[in-house]
Amino acid sequence: MTEIIGIRFKNGGKEYYFDPRGTDVHVGDEVIIETAKGPEFAVCSKANTQVEDDAVVQPLRPLLRLATDRDRATLRHNQEREEYAFQVCQQKILDHKLEMKLVRCECSFDGNKLLFFFTSEGRVDFRALVKDLASTFHSRIELRQIGVRDESKLLGGLGICGRPFCCNAFLDQFQPVSIKMAKTQGLSLNPAKISGACGRLMCCLKYEQEAYEDAVKRMPKNESFVETPDGVGTVSAVDFLRERVKVRLEDVPDAPQTYAPDELNVIRSGKGRRPEGYVAPPKEELEKLRKSTPAPQPDEPRDLSGSVSAALASLEGEEKSPGRPRRRGGDRPLRQKESQQSRPRAESKPRNEPRPRQETRLNGGELARETPSGQSRNRRRRRRSGGKPKEGGSSGNS
């Protein structure tokens, strides 16, 4: 195992491994490292990590030190010198009448070298320009021709998607992109729509190419003759992103239907005609191709609002009348007649059991026992006779 740290010299540039030499370096720390061009100022992109020996190229160049305030002041001075050298070089290009476009100027950390990047359609003889720049800055001058994709990587910008260029943000190196990728993904072949700011095909065409290639293998081709649950027809459009196929049926050609790939049976791929001697199967067999999607279970809430409302309704029901059914539209309880079977039966007393007699004290102190039935009978007699007891009846002074 080898201990390394990851270093990037520019935003979105390639990551290089260096030997930390026992120094703890964190992500985002500014460091001074040793390169083939001399000491350089860089930023740490990966902290101390142990990797396999075969994952690095020996020998690793060492880390010199963590950046100090003096190193940051030197970096600011070099950046001011780069801006001045860029303006001087542009003026020298105009003076020498060279067909080249200056892109960027970089100054080494020790200030001994100036590197100019330019683009051009052909080869340029810039030997006189190099001599003129060397006599002006008294430093080593190097001019390097780059392509249009490298120009976009150095300058940066915003793409048609509204995000920064991928090459300037995170791409370490360019991937080969071809027009065949646009055809596979069903994109417009208009160069203005599938090209980036550099004028080349967009790098993002490579990102989803494997997914589209897998979808092409599983889905039928356009203009294929297929069998569907509703009849036979011809494929009119294929949506790889949603994985849906639009079919123009022979019975109803003016109303195309949309199906999933597993609901279709391809009879002829990409030909667009009915095969000779083909007889469509009956409707019952074609209906077996239809795939029914399972309905969601009612017990499981589909979203958060439904679960919250269900919980509140259950709490209100427990507070108001627990165990009593409620209407769907409100909190008013249902008026429901209880059957005799659902009601608990009261314990019935035996009929032969004698009823208790009530004792009443008369005027002479003698007790008289009357049953409840006798009391009710005496009361009816008194009402009929105007409140006077009937002769021969049980009275108090007999």
Side-chain angles (χ1 to χ4, degrees), residues 55-125:
V56 296
V57 179
Q58 298 291 347
L60 288 177
R61 295 191 177 273
L63 168 71
L64 298 180
R65 63 182 181 276
L66 296 176
T68 60
D69 294 339
R70 184 176 180 180
D71 296 330
R72 298 184 183 91
T74 303
L75 179 64
R76 289 192 295 268
H77 174 72
N78 292 338
Q79 290 175 352
E80 295 175 357
R81 189 182 180 190
E82 290 174 359
E83 295 178 1
Y84 174 71
F86 186 87
Q87 297 176 0
V88 173
C89 185
Q90 278 188 327
Q91 185 62 37
K92 298 292 183 181
I93 291 173
L94 295 177
D95 296 342
H96 290 274
K97 298 180 180 180
L98 299 176
E99 296 181 357
M100 53 188 298
K101 176 185 177 183
L102 189 63
V103 177
R104 188 172 180 176
C105 175
E106 292 183 359
C107 180
S108 62
F109 185 74
D110 53 8
N112 296 330
K113 180 181 178 180
L114 288 173
L115 178 60
F116 296 91
F117 297 95
F118 71 94
T119 59
S120 177
E121 295 182 359
R123 300 188 64 178
V124 180
D125 184 8

Side-chain angles (χ1 to χ4, degrees), residues 96-269:
H96 290 274
K97 298 180 180 180
L98 299 176
E99 296 181 357
M100 53 188 298
K101 176 185 177 183
L102 189 63
V103 177
R104 188 172 180 176
C105 175
E106 292 183 359
C107 180
S108 62
F109 185 74
D110 53 8
N112 296 330
K113 180 181 178 180
L114 288 173
L115 178 60
F116 296 91
F117 297 95
F118 71 94
T119 59
S120 177
E121 295 182 359
R123 300 188 64 178
V124 180
D125 184 8
F126 49 77
R127 288 176 292 181
L129 177 63
V130 173
K131 294 180 181 179
D132 197 356
L133 293 174
S135 61
T136 303
F137 296 105
H138 303 284
S139 299
R140 182 182 175 184
I141 305 299
E142 181 179 349
L143 273 74
R144 185 176 301 175
Q145 186 175 0
I146 60 176
V148 290
R149 300 182 77 182
D150 297 302
E151 178 185 1
S152 300
K153 183 180 180 64
L154 292 176
L155 297 179
L158 297 178
I160 58 176
C161 59
R163 297 179 59 86
F165 292 160
C166 299
C167 55
N168 180 261
F170 59 87
L171 282 183
D172 295 340
Q173 55 187 359
F174 294 104
Q175 299 291 336
V177 185
S178 61
I179 194 67
K180 182 180 178 181
M181 297 181 180
K183 293 181 180 179
T184 304
Q185 300 177 21
L187 301 177
S188 173
L189 301 182
N190 186 359
K193 295 184 178 181
I194 58 177
S195 300
C198 59
R200 301 292 188 268
L201 294 176
M202 294 186 293
C203 299
C204 55
L205 294 177
K206 181 69 175 178
Y207 299 164
E208 301 177 356
Q209 179 63 19
E210 295 181 0
Y212 277 96
E213 290 177 355
D214 179 68
V216 168
K217 297 178 182 178
R218 294 182 289 103
M219 302 182 70
K221 296 182 181 179
N222 198 12
E223 298 298 331
S224 298
F225 187 79
V226 295
E227 294 177 351
T228 70
D230 301 323
V232 295
T234 305
V235 176
S236 59
V238 181
D239 190 348
F240 295 104
L241 188 61
R242 297 181 178 87
E243 293 194 1
R244 290 292 183 269
V245 181
K246 186 175 291 186
V247 180
R248 186 172 58 254
L249 302 176
E250 290 185 349
D251 298 338
V252 190
D254 298 335
Q257 301 294 328
T258 305
Y259 302 95
D262 54 355
E263 294 181 336
L264 303 179
N265 185 17
V266 181
I267 304 301
R268 176 172 286 184
S269 178

